Amino acid sequence: RGPAPTAGLPAGMPAPARDVRTVCLLPLSSGKDLSRALDYMCGALHRALQLMRVRTLLLSSGSLHEELDIALATFAPFGEIELSLHLAALESRHQLLLCRADPFPSDWTRRCLRNADLVLLVGLATDVDVDAAAAPAHGATTSSSSLGGGGGG
């Protein structure tokens, strides 16, 4: 049967989600170095998952805006319904959705956090002043990742 899902975790830390289908990548700052590093990380993660034959899709507010041709910042009631239906269809066709949140509070960032099974907080090791203003949604597991220095790579 194996060890309990919470074995080895610090007291009070929730057990990892068993069926992770939606991952939110939440940048902790809006710097250009972090944006470039996150571009690289998202691309590498997406390619690695595809090589492992995991049907995965990388989404961002920009990619959805292009796909749906709607302004995500101003969801009208019908736009919200259209977006919800579109995201549900994408989730049903893919094993994993990687949702790159905006580096600022936005409707897309809130949606990413609300729908995520796992939230990855991403920052640069060189960033001292990170702003994690957006807290993960209830029920989501949170993990942090610090990318190497901002000197490129």
Side-chain angles (χ1 to χ4, degrees), residues 61-89:
S61 57
S63 68
L64 281 177
H65 180 68
E66 290 172 11
E67 277 185 51
L68 297 177
D69 196 31
I70 61 171
L72 293 176
T74 56
F75 291 134
F78 293 113
E80 177 69 27
I81 292 168
E82 180 183 359
L83 179 61
S84 295
L85 291 173
H86 182 69
L87 290 173

Short mmCIF file of all heavy atoms in Angstrom, two decimals, residues 61-89:
data_model
loop_
_atom_site.label_atom_id
_atom_site.label_comp_id
_atom_site.label_asym_id
_atom_site.label_seq_id
_atom_site.Cartn_x
_atom_site.Cartn_y
_atom_site.Cartn_z
N SER A 61 -2.08 34.54 -20.34
CA SER A 61 -3.16 35.47 -20.69
C SER A 61 -3.03 35.88 -22.15
O SER A 61 -4.01 36.01 -22.86
CB SER A 61 -3.13 36.69 -19.78
OG SER A 61 -1.88 37.34 -19.84
N GLY A 62 -1.79 36.05 -22.63
CA GLY A 62 -1.58 36.43 -24.03
C GLY A 62 -2.03 35.36 -25.00
O GLY A 62 -2.67 35.65 -26.02
N SER A 63 -1.72 34.10 -24.70
CA SER A 63 -2.10 33.02 -25.62
C SER A 63 -3.61 32.86 -25.67
O SER A 63 -4.18 32.61 -26.74
CB SER A 63 -1.43 31.69 -25.23
OG SER A 63 -1.94 31.20 -24.01
N LEU A 64 -4.28 33.02 -24.55
CA LEU A 64 -5.74 32.92 -24.55
C LEU A 64 -6.37 34.09 -25.27
O LEU A 64 -7.37 33.94 -25.97
CB LEU A 64 -6.28 32.83 -23.12
CG LEU A 64 -6.16 31.47 -22.48
CD1 LEU A 64 -6.65 31.52 -21.04
CD2 LEU A 64 -6.93 30.42 -23.24
N HIS A 65 -5.78 35.26 -25.09
CA HIS A 65 -6.30 36.44 -25.78
C HIS A 65 -6.25 36.23 -27.29
O HIS A 65 -7.20 36.53 -28.01
CB HIS A 65 -5.51 37.68 -25.38
CG HIS A 65 -5.98 38.94 -26.03
ND1 HIS A 65 -7.20 39.51 -25.75
CD2 HIS A 65 -5.41 39.72 -26.97
CE1 HIS A 65 -7.36 40.59 -26.48
NE2 HIS A 65 -6.29 40.74 -27.23
N GLU A 66 -5.15 35.66 -27.78
CA GLU A 66 -5.01 35.38 -29.21
C GLU A 66 -6.00 34.30 -29.66
O GLU A 66 -6.61 34.41 -30.71
CB GLU A 66 -3.59 34.93 -29.53
CG GLU A 66 -2.56 36.03 -29.40
CD GLU A 66 -1.13 35.53 -29.52
OE1 GLU A 66 -0.93 34.36 -29.91
OE2 GLU A 66 -0.22 36.30 -29.20
N GLU A 67 -6.15 33.25 -28.85
CA GLU A 67 -7.04 32.14 -29.22
C GLU A 67 -8.49 32.57 -29.27
O GLU A 67 -9.23 32.21 -30.18
CB GLU A 67 -6.92 31.00 -28.20
CG GLU A 67 -5.77 30.08 -28.43
CD GLU A 67 -5.81 28.92 -27.44
OE1 GLU A 67 -6.86 28.27 -27.32
OE2 GLU A 67 -4.77 28.69 -26.80
N LEU A 68 -8.92 33.28 -28.25
CA LEU A 68 -10.34 33.60 -28.11
C LEU A 68 -10.71 34.96 -28.65
O LEU A 68 -11.89 35.28 -28.77
CB LEU A 68 -10.76 33.51 -26.63
CG LEU A 68 -10.63 32.13 -26.00
CD1 LEU A 68 -11.00 32.19 -24.54
CD2 LEU A 68 -11.51 31.13 -26.73
N ASP A 69 -9.70 35.80 -28.92
CA ASP A 69 -9.95 37.14 -29.43
C ASP A 69 -10.90 37.92 -28.53
O ASP A 69 -11.83 38.57 -28.97
CB ASP A 69 -10.49 37.09 -30.86
CG ASP A 69 -10.39 38.44 -31.55
OD1 ASP A 69 -9.45 39.19 -31.21
OD2 ASP A 69 -11.25 38.75 -32.39
N ILE A 70 -10.65 37.82 -27.22
CA ILE A 70 -11.41 38.61 -26.25
C ILE A 70 -10.42 39.29 -25.32
O ILE A 70 -9.31 38.82 -25.12
CB ILE A 70 -12.41 37.77 -25.42
CG1 ILE A 70 -11.67 36.71 -24.61
CG2 ILE A 70 -13.46 37.16 -26.29
CD1 ILE A 70 -12.55 35.99 -23.62
N ALA A 71 -10.80 40.38 -24.76
CA ALA A 71 -9.95 41.07 -23.79
C ALA A 71 -10.15 40.41 -22.42
O ALA A 71 -11.22 40.50 -21.83
CB ALA A 71 -10.32 42.55 -23.72
N LEU A 72 -9.12 39.74 -21.94
CA LEU A 72 -9.25 39.00 -20.69
C LEU A 72 -9.40 39.92 -19.48
O LEU A 72 -9.91 39.51 -18.45
CB LEU A 72 -8.04 38.08 -20.49
CG LEU A 72 -7.95 36.94 -21.49
CD1 LEU A 72 -6.66 36.16 -21.27
CD2 LEU A 72 -9.13 36.02 -21.35
N ALA A 73 -8.97 41.15 -19.60
CA ALA A 73 -9.06 42.07 -18.47
C ALA A 73 -10.49 42.50 -18.22
O ALA A 73 -10.84 42.90 -17.12
CB ALA A 73 -8.18 43.28 -18.71
N THR A 74 -11.33 42.43 -19.23
CA THR A 74 -12.72 42.88 -19.08
C THR A 74 -13.66 41.77 -19.49
O THR A 74 -14.23 41.79 -20.58
CB THR A 74 -12.98 44.13 -19.94
OG1 THR A 74 -12.64 43.81 -21.29
CG2 THR A 74 -12.16 45.31 -19.48
N PHE A 75 -13.80 40.79 -18.61
CA PHE A 75 -14.72 39.68 -18.90
C PHE A 75 -16.15 40.18 -18.83
O PHE A 75 -16.62 40.61 -17.80
CB PHE A 75 -14.57 38.56 -17.86
CG PHE A 75 -13.28 37.83 -17.93
CD1 PHE A 75 -12.58 37.56 -16.77
CD2 PHE A 75 -12.78 37.38 -19.12
CE1 PHE A 75 -11.38 36.89 -16.81
CE2 PHE A 75 -11.59 36.69 -19.18
CZ PHE A 75 -10.89 36.45 -18.01
N ALA A 76 -16.84 40.11 -19.95
CA ALA A 76 -18.28 40.32 -19.93
C ALA A 76 -18.89 38.98 -19.51
O ALA A 76 -18.22 37.95 -19.58
CB ALA A 76 -18.76 40.72 -21.32
N PRO A 77 -20.15 38.96 -19.06
CA PRO A 77 -20.73 37.68 -18.64
C PRO A 77 -20.60 36.60 -19.71
O PRO A 77 -20.26 35.47 -19.40
CB PRO A 77 -22.20 38.03 -18.38
CG PRO A 77 -22.18 39.47 -18.02
CD PRO A 77 -21.06 40.08 -18.83
N PHE A 78 -20.81 36.92 -20.97
CA PHE A 78 -20.70 35.89 -22.01
C PHE A 78 -19.25 35.55 -22.28
O PHE A 78 -18.91 34.43 -22.61
CB PHE A 78 -21.43 36.33 -23.28
CG PHE A 78 -22.91 36.40 -23.09
CD1 PHE A 78 -23.57 37.61 -23.13
CD2 PHE A 78 -23.65 35.25 -22.83
CE1 PHE A 78 -24.95 37.67 -22.93
CE2 PHE A 78 -25.02 35.30 -22.62
CZ PHE A 78 -25.67 36.52 -22.68
N GLY A 79 -18.35 36.52 -22.17
CA GLY A 79 -16.93 36.26 -22.33
C GLY A 79 -16.42 35.33 -21.24
O GLY A 79 -15.61 34.44 -21.50
N GLU A 80 -16.91 35.51 -20.03
CA GLU A 80 -16.53 34.64 -18.91
C GLU A 80 -17.00 33.21 -19.15
O GLU A 80 -16.26 32.26 -18.93
CB GLU A 80 -17.13 35.19 -17.60
CG GLU A 80 -16.88 34.34 -16.39
CD GLU A 80 -15.43 34.33 -15.94
OE1 GLU A 80 -14.71 35.29 -16.21
OE2 GLU A 80 -15.03 33.33 -15.32
N ILE A 81 -18.21 33.06 -19.63
CA ILE A 81 -18.74 31.73 -19.93
C ILE A 81 -17.94 31.09 -21.05
O ILE A 81 -17.55 29.92 -20.97
CB ILE A 81 -20.24 31.82 -20.30
CG1 ILE A 81 -21.05 32.22 -19.06
CG2 ILE A 81 -20.74 30.49 -20.87
CD1 ILE A 81 -22.49 32.60 -19.36
N GLU A 82 -17.66 31.85 -22.10
CA GLU A 82 -16.88 31.34 -23.22
C GLU A 82 -15.49 30.89 -22.76
O GLU A 82 -15.01 29.81 -23.13
CB GLU A 82 -16.74 32.42 -24.30
CG GLU A 82 -15.93 31.97 -25.51
CD GLU A 82 -15.75 33.08 -26.53
OE1 GLU A 82 -16.25 34.19 -26.34
OE2 GLU A 82 -15.07 32.80 -27.54
N LEU A 83 -14.85 31.69 -21.91
CA LEU A 83 -13.53 31.35 -21.41
C LEU A 83 -13.59 30.10 -20.54
O LEU A 83 -12.75 29.19 -20.68
CB LEU A 83 -12.94 32.52 -20.62
CG LEU A 83 -11.57 32.29 -20.01
CD1 LEU A 83 -10.54 32.00 -21.10
CD2 LEU A 83 -11.15 33.49 -19.19
N SER A 84 -14.56 29.99 -19.66
CA SER A 84 -14.71 28.81 -18.80
C SER A 84 -14.91 27.55 -19.62
O SER A 84 -14.31 26.51 -19.34
CB SER A 84 -15.87 29.00 -17.82
OG SER A 84 -15.60 30.05 -16.93
N LEU A 85 -15.77 27.62 -20.62
CA LEU A 85 -16.01 26.46 -21.49
C LEU A 85 -14.75 26.09 -22.27
O LEU A 85 -14.42 24.91 -22.41
CB LEU A 85 -17.16 26.75 -22.46
CG LEU A 85 -18.55 26.85 -21.83
CD1 LEU A 85 -19.56 27.32 -22.87
CD2 LEU A 85 -18.96 25.53 -21.22
N HIS A 86 -14.03 27.09 -22.75
CA HIS A 86 -12.81 26.85 -23.50
C HIS A 86 -11.75 26.17 -22.62
O HIS A 86 -11.13 25.19 -23.02
CB HIS A 86 -12.27 28.16 -24.07
CG HIS A 86 -11.05 28.01 -24.90
ND1 HIS A 86 -11.06 27.41 -26.13
CD2 HIS A 86 -9.76 28.37 -24.67
CE1 HIS A 86 -9.84 27.41 -26.64
NE2 HIS A 86 -9.03 27.98 -25.77
N LEU A 87 -11.57 26.66 -21.40
CA LEU A 87 -10.59 26.07 -20.49
C LEU A 87 -10.98 24.64 -20.10
O LEU A 87 -10.12 23.77 -20.00
CB LEU A 87 -10.41 26.94 -19.24
CG LEU A 87 -9.71 28.28 -19.48
CD1 LEU A 87 -9.75 29.13 -18.22
CD2 LEU A 87 -8.29 28.08 -19.96
N ALA A 88 -12.26 24.40 -19.88
CA ALA A 88 -12.72 23.04 -19.56
C ALA A 88 -12.45 22.10 -20.73
O ALA A 88 -12.01 20.95 -20.52
CB ALA A 88 -14.21 23.06 -19.22
N ALA A 89 -12.67 22.56 -21.95
CA ALA A 89 -12.40 21.73 -23.13
C ALA A 89 -10.91 21.44 -23.25
O ALA A 89 -10.50 20.31 -23.55
CB ALA A 89 -12.91 22.42 -24.39
#
